[in-house]
Amino acid sequence: MTMVFGFHFTEKSIFDLRFVVLIVSPMFVRKHLSILAIGLGIGLARLSFGVTDASVVGALNIFTMSLVCVALVKWAERRQWRFYTKMLTIMFAINTLNIVFIAAFGVLHWEYYLTEVAPGSYVLSVFLSLIFMLVLRDFTMEAGRKRQLQVTNVRLEELFGLAEEKTELLEKAKCELEDKNKQLVLASRYKTEFLANMSHELRTPLNSMLVLSQMLQENTDGRLSEEEVHFAELIHSSGNELLHLINDVLDLSKIEAGRMEINLAQINCRELIHYVGSQVEPMAQRKELRFIINMDPDVPDIIRTDGQRLQQILSNLLSNALKFTKEGFVKLEVRTVTGNEGPRSGVGSGEDKWVAFSVQDTGIGIPEEQQSLIFHSFHQADGTTSRKYGGTGLGLTLSRQFAALLGGSIELDSRVGLGSRFTLYLPWSALTEQPPAGEEDDTAPAGEYRLREDLNRNLAASSAYEKMPDIELPRGMAASDVQDGKLVLLADDDLNNAYALKLALESRGYRVITAADGEQALRELRSHPEVSIVLMDMMMPGMDGLETIRQMRAIPEYTDLPIVAVTAKALDRDREDCLAAGANDYIAKPVELGSLQATLRKWMK
């Protein structure tokens, strides 16, 4: 088109911009041979107007410019020129070469061409070349943007499709997780209900067995022989072992469910150590083992912790030590440690002082490969059916979990044949922390320890305390402290339990009336306004214990009547439900007569 509509200097001489195609060709083609092919094509097209001197010069001119253009492109690539640097260089070089070539070989006289034609045509060709280059540059960039947008759109469509698929998968996974969560919640609820029912069904007959066996063991009327009293002791001891197993299983389930709560209070550390020691001293005497207690004077008398859990940990460690020790000694030592003497596990890394409760024995010891496994649930160093020692393998598991809840840890040092040492580390800062304002300073809660006279009797018979300083023991209650003739309303649908508790209370000077359900309990209460306290079972047919308590509280005359929930439902929420319904206190079955007596005294002052 440029050659058809070009400016004709003569009939055979044409001025056009056919070389502009060569100038802009590097913008579109990648192969250098393509530029030569373009130049050859333009030159042959010039000859199509007729083979003359002018057309031959024009064809050679175009081909020469294509060679120069290829050389400049290679040079620019080697020098890594930017786009505009490369294109402007090519533009000026091609336009200059065109002027020189025409002046040297063109049909016009060189002097005429350089003075009359070249100045105007050069400026015009450079200007037009620049315009074409910029316009084409804009077109190429726009085309590039469109291609990029098309690629991006295609990619976005692919990603959108993948996102939809993933959304569907996530929605499906979410539904599956929700279903699984519902199943887990349901299973957890079933497990909790099962444990509550299992606890109730086991504790209910245990209550009768333990209460009656304890009464037979006391032999107050002296009608039983020593052998029969011993039988009662065995029954009572076996029932307590079963009760401890039930409590361990319930504690483990609460820990696994994250529902175990720690009740912090100020307790007398020395009294607690004395009490725990008095519990295991008889077993040490039966096995002819030396039982030693050492307590560092630096250990504070009053500490703030969960006394029940601390007592449980120490009892578990001492029981294990006595069980696996055939000869030698078992030692309970309480001391303060600092620095490197603290726990190796890294727990409480910010603490620099600890109270260490160590239980050391000269027993069989534990192989090194078994030392980490014995803290797992239901695991023992010897778990075969032919093992010499009994037990469920829950004691150490619970002890370590309780220690963690108290902010400490338990560590083990043991060698086979030489014995073992379990050490409970509790942080000094937590034990000596002052209670919040308003918290009662109850260092000897009712029912926390045995009756004073029982504890004194155990301590007096113990050789482990010969070198211990005299310490005032927790105050208990003697039978003479209870006023005779107080009327107790006992509501329990289990006839055996009602019979056992009625006998136990009557033997201690109380008058007792019984009710088998909630409605009968309300009738008895209205018929006997002199009732001093109510012992209420929770699971009864018809109107249960909670509803019965609520209705009793709705009667104006009985808003202040002491009501104690006595139930085989022993989960934390059961206690909360009882207190929320209006009960003053809560006792879990099986009932320990000393604890029951202390509770009655507490609420019948």
Side-chain angles (χ1 to χ4, degrees):
M1 294 292 293
T2 59
M3 288 183 286
V4 172
F5 296 101
F7 176 73
H8 290 257
F9 290 106
T10 65
E11 183 180 350
K12 298 179 181 181
S13 177
I14 304 173
F15 170 75
D16 55 46
L17 296 176
R18 56 184 178 271
F19 57 84
V20 172
V21 178
L22 285 176
I23 294 174
V24 299
S25 61
M27 296 171 58
F28 303 98
V29 297
R30 295 182 179 180
K31 295 183 178 181
H32 300 151
L33 291 178
S34 298
I35 298 176
L36 294 177
I38 291 172
L40 181 61
I42 295 173
L44 294 176
R46 178 67 181 85
L47 294 175
S48 65
F49 287 88
V51 180
T52 62
D53 293 341
S55 64
V56 171
V57 171
L60 292 175
N61 183 21
I62 290 295
F63 189 70
T64 302
M65 285 190 287
S66 66
L67 291 174
V68 172
C69 184
V70 169
L72 290 174
V73 169
K74 287 185 176 183
W75 180 265
E77 290 174 353
R78 188 176 302 171
R79 294 287 182 177
Q80 297 182 349
W81 286 352
R82 294 184 178 180
F83 171 80
Y84 287 106
T85 302
K86 177 180 72 173
M87 295 308 300
L88 289 174
T89 301
I90 292 174
M91 182 185 69
F92 282 107
I94 296 300
N95 277 283
T96 303
L97 178 62
N98 181 54
I99 295 297
V100 172
F101 202 94
I102 292 175
F105 305 105
V107 295
L108 296 177
H109 189 270
W110 65 270
E111 186 176 358
Y112 170 76
Y113 176 74
L114 291 177
T115 56
E116 299 295 334
V117 178
S121 63
Y122 183 76
V123 172
L124 181 62
S125 63
V126 169
F127 176 75
L128 293 176
S129 298
L130 180 62
I131 294 298
F132 277 117
M133 183 187 72
L134 294 176
V135 170
L136 290 174
R137 172 65 172 171
D138 185 62
F139 284 159
T140 56
M141 291 183 69
E142 183 65 24
R145 285 192 291 269
K146 288 182 178 180
R147 284 195 301 271
Q148 185 64 34
L149 285 175
Q150 291 175 351
V151 172
T152 302
N153 288 335
V154 171
R155 181 59 180 164
L156 287 175
E157 288 177 358
E158 293 176 354
L159 292 176
F160 181 74
L162 292 174
E164 286 186 332
E165 293 178 4
K166 290 184 178 180
T167 301
E168 292 177 0
L169 292 175
L170 288 174
E171 193 67 28
K172 184 178 179 181
K174 178 184 177 183
C175 293
E176 291 178 354
L177 287 175
E178 289 178 349
D179 291 339
K180 293 291 185 183
N181 183 57
K182 291 179 181 178
Q183 294 175 12
L184 287 174
V185 171
L186 192 62
S188 177
R189 192 179 73 196
Y190 287 158
K191 178 182 177 182
T192 302
E193 292 176 355
F194 168 76
L195 288 173
N197 292 332
M198 183 270 291
S199 171
H200 181 271
E201 296 304 318
L202 290 176
R203 287 171 181 270
T204 299
L206 266 179
N207 187 65
S208 303
M209 184 177 72
L210 290 176
V211 170
L212 292 175
S213 62
Q214 185 174 349
M215 293 179 64
L216 291 173
Q217 182 181 341
E218 291 173 355
N219 194 21
T220 54
D221 55 7
R223 290 186 299 176
L224 300 180
S225 65
E226 290 185 6
E227 186 178 21
E228 289 171 331
V229 171
H230 180 62
F231 291 161
E233 291 176 352
L234 291 178
I235 295 172
H236 193 268
S237 175
S238 298
N240 275 320
E241 289 179 4
L242 181 56
L243 175 61
H244 292 157
L245 176 59
I246 295 171
N247 290 334
D248 284 349
V249 173
L250 289 176
D251 284 343
L252 181 63
S253 68
K254 286 189 283 187
I255 289 174
E256 290 178 345
R259 297 175 181 173
M260 176 62 71
E261 295 181 357
I262 292 298
N263 299 314
L264 298 178
Q266 287 187 308
I267 65 170
N268 192 307
C269 183
R270 295 181 183 273
E271 290 178 358
L272 176 64
I273 297 302
H274 275 74
Y275 173 70
V276 173
S278 71
Q279 297 297 96
V280 299
E281 173 71 11
M283 183 177 178
Q285 291 178 350
R286 286 195 301 270
K287 298 188 70 172
E288 298 181 352
L289 298 173
R290 285 189 300 126
F291 181 51
I292 307 167
I293 294 180
N294 289 333
M295 194 162 181
D296 194 327
D298 293 338
V299 176
D301 290 340
I302 304 301
I303 59 176
R304 187 168 186 267
T305 187
D306 189 325
Q308 179 185 357
R309 300 309 174 192
L310 178 56
Q311 174 187 328
Q312 197 169 348
I313 294 171
L314 297 178
S315 296
N316 285 337
L317 296 180
L318 286 170
S319 297
N320 278 347
L322 291 168
K323 179 168 62 174
F324 294 105
T325 302
K326 188 175 181 180
E327 58 182 6
F329 67 87
V330 171
K331 181 168 70 173
L332 172 59
E333 184 178 15
V334 186
R335 67 190 191 281
T336 57
V337 296
T338 57
N340 296 331
E341 295 180 336
R344 300 184 299 270
S345 60
V347 64
S349 56
E351 297 288 339
D352 58 356
K353 192 173 184 180
W354 304 79
V355 176
F357 300 81
S358 297
V359 175
Q360 183 179 357
D361 63 63
T362 55
I364 59 175
I366 303 170
E368 186 175 353
E369 63 273 11
Q370 294 285 339
Q371 291 182 13
S372 61
L373 299 177
I374 61 172
F375 289 99
H376 295 176
S377 301
F378 306 105
H379 190 94
Q380 293 181 319
D382 180 12
T384 63
T385 56
S386 61
R387 58 194 173 97
K388 295 169 57 179
Y389 308 96
T392 60
L394 285 177
L396 289 177
T397 301
L398 291 172
S399 296
R400 172 165 280 190
Q401 297 287 353
F402 291 150
L405 290 173
L406 295 175
S409 66
I410 294 179
E411 295 189 357
L412 167 63
D413 296 290
S414 181
R415 293 181 63 183
V416 176
L418 296 179
S420 305
R421 182 177 64 216
F422 289 86
T423 304
L424 166 66
Y425 293 96
L426 295 181
W428 176 274
S429 59
L431 296 178
T432 57
E433 181 183 9
Q434 292 300 316
E439 181 177 298
E440 294 184 2
D441 183 12
D442 185 8
T443 59
E448 183 73 25
Y449 305 116
R450 283 193 173 188
L451 299 180
R452 181 183 182 86
E453 49 266 37
D454 293 338
L455 187 54
N456 284 333
R457 183 170 59 253
N458 289 335
L459 292 177
S462 171
S463 62
Y465 299 94
E466 293 177 356
K467 297 182 180 180
M468 295 293 294
D470 293 333
I471 298 176
E472 185 178 355
L473 300 176
R475 186 176 299 278
M477 179 199 71
S480 60
D481 292 332
V482 179
Q483 296 181 11
D484 292 338
K486 293 287 187 179
L487 184 59
V488 177
L489 172 57
L490 172 60
D492 197 323
D493 64 311
D494 189 282
L495 296 179
N496 293 332
N497 272 318
Y499 174 74
L501 286 174
K502 186 173 184 293
L503 285 180
L505 292 172
E506 288 177 343
S507 69
R508 284 158 174 78
Y510 296 96
R511 292 184 298 123
V512 181
I513 55 175
T514 60
D517 55 47
E519 294 179 354
Q520 185 181 357
L522 288 171
R523 290 195 301 269
E524 294 290 347
L525 185 60
R526 292 188 181 99
S527 302
H528 299 82
E530 71 274 20
V531 168
S532 299
I533 192 168
V534 177
L535 301 181
M536 181 70 66
D537 185 29
M538 290 298 103
M539 296 183 68
M540 296 186 294
M543 185 185 298
D544 64 8
L546 294 176
E547 182 59 28
T548 306
I549 294 174
R550 294 189 189 101
Q551 294 203 18
M552 286 182 176
R553 290 304 185 205
I555 302 174
E557 304 92 87
Y558 301 120
T559 54
D560 297 327
L561 177 67
I563 302 176
V564 178
V566 182
T567 177
K569 299 184 71 175
L571 300 180
D572 289 339
R573 69 175 189 183
D574 298 322
R575 177 184 178 87
E576 295 170 359
D577 291 343
C578 293
L579 298 179
N584 298 91
D585 211 335
Y586 169 96
I587 298 178
K589 294 179 181 177
V591 174
E592 201 278 319
L593 293 181
S595 296
L596 177 61
Q597 220 171 355
T599 303
L600 291 174
R601 181 191 178 206
K602 174 182 178 182
W603 293 108
M604 294 174 64
K605 288 181 180 178

